[in-house]
Amino acid sequence: MDEHLTSLSEDRALLGRTSTAERVSDILRSRIAEGFFPPGTRLSEDSIGGALGVSRNTLREAFRLLTHERLLVHELNRGVFVRVLTVEDVEDIYRTRGLVECAVVRGLGAPPHRLDALSDAVEEGQRAAREGDWKSVGTANIHFHRELVALAGSARTDELMRSVFAELRLAFHVVDDPKRLHEPYLARNRQILQALQEGDKNEAEKLLAVYLDDSLKRVVEVYQRRVSAGGA
């Protein structure tokens, strides 16, 4: 984790003069979502508090908030760790995604829609794939779905899905072949974008539903293999 402390200290500027546990939790949630803290990582109060320049009490409150969101877990006499998901957790994440993301697409009004951020996420994924950076492809994929949810224009929905997408990143970390997981969805993301650009939200929803079902099967297959091997 030490290699990330320097970049984490750069986030100190995001706290401003009125540092709060909520702002600290926002930073750590984002770092988890970006893959800086893999599942099972012990979070050091001294190291993280020093990097962000916050008090122990503030950091502990931030840990408590993220524990409530199921991103962290407190183990008695051992400390705070990034949570390792179960197969049931993964299934529930995808169930939630299906309910929310498909409803967002279904509920879109008449086109045109503001799709610039969605298009940017597609291009972000393509660039990362050309560079062979499959971890960044996974991040771009999460960005795509986050921007898809943002089309609803609902702060409450954005907040709900923020922690769901952070949990999704935890699921991605157990995948032993990230290229195999993420590469097929580069084209699928573009197909969904194109359907929305053409004003065909019904087609976009259909593509999205199949996409999520296939992704769930692929990730659960990996989890079950890891559980059988005693690796999760």
Side-chain angles (χ1 to χ4, degrees):
M1 188 174 67
D2 290 345
E3 63 185 285
H4 300 304
L5 291 177
T6 299
S7 60
L8 186 62
S9 65
E10 295 171 0
D11 287 333
R12 186 185 298 194
L14 299 176
L15 298 175
R17 293 185 177 181
T18 56
S19 173
T20 64
E22 286 82 4
R23 289 194 179 104
V24 173
S25 66
D26 285 344
I27 289 171
L28 294 179
R29 185 188 303 105
S30 295
R31 288 293 179 168
I32 291 170
E34 299 297 335
F36 286 98
F37 300 123
T41 300
R42 182 180 180 277
L43 300 185
S44 166
E45 290 185 0
D46 291 339
S47 297
I48 294 176
L52 291 176
V54 298
S55 70
R56 188 180 297 268
N57 286 341
T58 296
L59 188 59
R60 285 178 176 175
E61 176 62 14
F63 284 172
R64 188 191 67 80
L65 293 172
L66 294 177
T67 299
H68 180 70
E69 293 180 18
R70 297 176 300 278
L71 295 177
L72 303 180
V73 60
H74 179 267
E75 296 186 11
L76 190 62
N77 299 325
R78 294 193 64 218
V80 175
F81 295 80
V82 179
R83 192 158 174 259
V84 178
L85 302 183
T86 65
V87 171
E88 291 75 20
D89 290 326
V90 175
E91 291 173 339
D92 196 38
I93 288 169
Y94 274 88
R95 187 179 304 113
T96 302
R97 291 186 67 194
L99 289 170
V100 174
E101 293 185 50
C102 290
V104 167
V105 173
R106 190 182 318 121
L108 290 175
H113 307 296
R114 301 181 65 176
L115 302 174
D116 288 349
L118 206 63
S119 179
D120 288 346
V122 169
E123 295 306 320
E124 176 189 352
Q126 296 287 352
R127 282 195 304 272
R130 286 194 295 270
E131 296 168 1
D133 185 352
W134 296 102
K135 176 181 174 182
S136 293
V137 172
T139 298
N141 184 45
I142 290 176
H143 289 169
F144 177 85
H145 289 275
R146 186 178 65 197
E147 296 301 337
L148 186 70
V149 169
L151 293 175
S154 166
R156 291 175 178 82
T157 305
D158 289 344
E159 184 175 357
L160 166 68
M161 295 303 291
R162 182 176 56 181
S163 60
V164 171
F165 289 137
E167 283 191 273
L168 181 63
R169 166 59 77 178
L170 299 184
F172 286 170
H173 271 293
V174 306
V175 177
D176 49 10
D177 187 353
K179 179 179 179 180
R180 180 173 177 268
L181 175 67
H182 298 304
E183 188 172 34
Y185 302 107
L186 291 168
R188 289 186 172 201
N189 285 348
R190 187 172 292 280
Q191 289 172 345
I192 293 170
L193 173 63
Q194 289 175 342
L196 292 174
Q197 289 171 331
E198 294 167 3
D200 192 346
K201 68 179 183 181
N202 291 332
E203 177 65 13
E205 183 186 355
K206 184 189 305 181
L207 290 168
L208 177 61
V210 175
Y211 174 127
L212 292 175
D213 186 55
D214 288 347
S215 182
L216 170 62
K217 291 175 183 176
R218 192 174 292 242
V219 175
V220 166
E221 176 189 356
V222 173
Y223 257 80
Q224 289 175 333
R225 187 166 64 245
R226 289 288 300 273
V227 169
S228 296

